[in-house]
Amino acid sequence: TGDTGASTNPTSAASDGTSPTGNGGTTDNGGTTGNVSTTGNVSTTGNVSTTGNVGTTGPDTGGDLPPLGGDACKGYATRYWDCCKAHCGWPGNVNPATDPLRSCDQADQSLGANYTVPSSCTALAADSAFTCYDNAPWAVDDKLAYGFAAVPANGDICGRCYQLEFDGTGHYNAQDPGSVALTGKTMIVQATNIGFDVGGGQFDILTPGGGVGLFDACSFQWDVATPELGATYGGFMTYCQQNVGNDHAKLKECVLGRCAAVFDEPALAELAAGCEWYVQWYEVADNPNLRYQEVACPAALVARSGIDRGPLGDVSACMGGGGTCTQEQMDQCDCAWTNNGQNCGRDDGSC
């Protein structure tokens, strides 16, 4: 069983097993696996990546990262924040050579090495396990940012890092103004969550205010009414699209207003900063397209998550994902695995 949410506008949040269309990181209870949205695939097998330092923790180099090579894969980003304990927070879900992801209690106090505390999305209590606030994304400089993401449930993924280069187009709306404004920026994310129905290079980025989906521990943790969290699938951004349209400046102003209204307590300052990051650095991009490749994890990400794969030396190149399909592959494609076809989303063209 998973604890998460999913997005309608295909934009955000995590979900449990049968997410409608869109995004959504998934979170797990007790070492089982969860799900996210209906499209995409991130592969972690193959040859050693052309970027990153294999077998070491990557440097925090600011905007001086080498560009991805021609073997990089195509994908797109979505968003979510459901406050649940993540899949990689359970000892049974991580590589035995690494520690699980750190979780926090309702007051955002670290639970330390107590990795078996129940998820807040199955046991709402002050001492349950929630997403730590320092998992919010942040800007390293005006061209580079770090964060955490849910990725497809393909094997040993916990703690792997990926370099994402945004190409200036939107996945569902090529002219999405936020995606256009994101052109040329790079993000490195560490995988801390999974989704069985996430594929085609989808990265569901943990973003405060990104939507809670089917599992909402946030209204309890932050003591806010559920409607204050915006659209269940899509969060503040989807709410603002519904209320102010697609004018980029008005959308940014609207989302900033929701950030200020919900994260107005000093204890929520890290969430407020992550929400503002989505507006200022990320340009309120709505499902931006990108190229990606696995890289060595920056030390700053490892320091926050506690998951260090560096000694494993197993950075791998992606092998496809969002690529071109043959007609035979397309003819064989269906989405019966999404709740027997009941939760089919838009075909993203992945094989």
Side-chain angles (χ1 to χ4, degrees), residues 42-45 51 68 145 147 149 151-152 154 156-165 186-191 203 291-298 301 316-318:
V42 177
S43 168
T44 56
T45 58
T51 57
L68 297 180
V151 300
N154 291 341
D156 178 20
I157 58 88
C158 288
R160 295 186 183 274
C161 286
Y162 300 89
Q163 181 170 325
L164 316 179
E165 293 184 354
T186 298
M187 189 171 186
I188 296 181
V189 297
Q190 186 175 45
F203 292 86
R291 296 170 67 246
Y292 71 92
Q293 187 63 275
E294 185 179 352
V295 296
C297 290
L301 284 173
S316 303
C318 67

Side-chain angles (χ1 to χ4, degrees), residues 5 60 133-134 209 251 304:
D60 297 304
Y133 295 170
D134 67 0
L251 284 171
R304 295 199 184 196

Side-chain angles (χ1 to χ4, degrees), residues 38 48 114 139 152 154 157 172 176 195 202 239 243 258 280 310 324 346-347:
T38 59
V48 174
N114 192 356
N154 291 341
I157 58 88
Y172 295 98
D176 168 58
Q202 181 179 353
Y239 165 85
N243 284 271
R258 297 312 306 151
Q280 307 295 6
T324 301
R346 186 181 309 201
D347 185 355

Side-chain angles (χ1 to χ4, degrees), residues 113-131:
N114 192 356
Y115 300 119
T116 59
V117 175
S119 171
S120 56
C121 285
T122 56
L124 277 178
D127 58 354
S128 292
F130 297 78
T131 300

Side-chain angles (χ1 to χ4, degrees), residues 252-280:
K252 295 179 77 170
E253 180 181 8
C254 178
V255 175
L256 272 180
R258 297 312 306 151
C259 296
V262 174
F263 305 125
D264 59 342
E265 299 292 333
L268 305 180
E270 284 183 290
L271 297 175
C275 190
E276 292 165 5
W277 168 91
Y278 174 71
V279 177
Q280 307 295 6

Side-chain angles (χ1 to χ4, degrees), residues 24 41 65 80 89 91 94 96 147 162 190 194 205 218 231 250 283-284:
N41 258 336
L65 291 173
Y80 84 104
V94 300
Y162 300 89
Q190 186 175 45
I194 62 149
I205 299 173
C218 295
K250 289 181 179 179
E283 297 284 355
V284 296

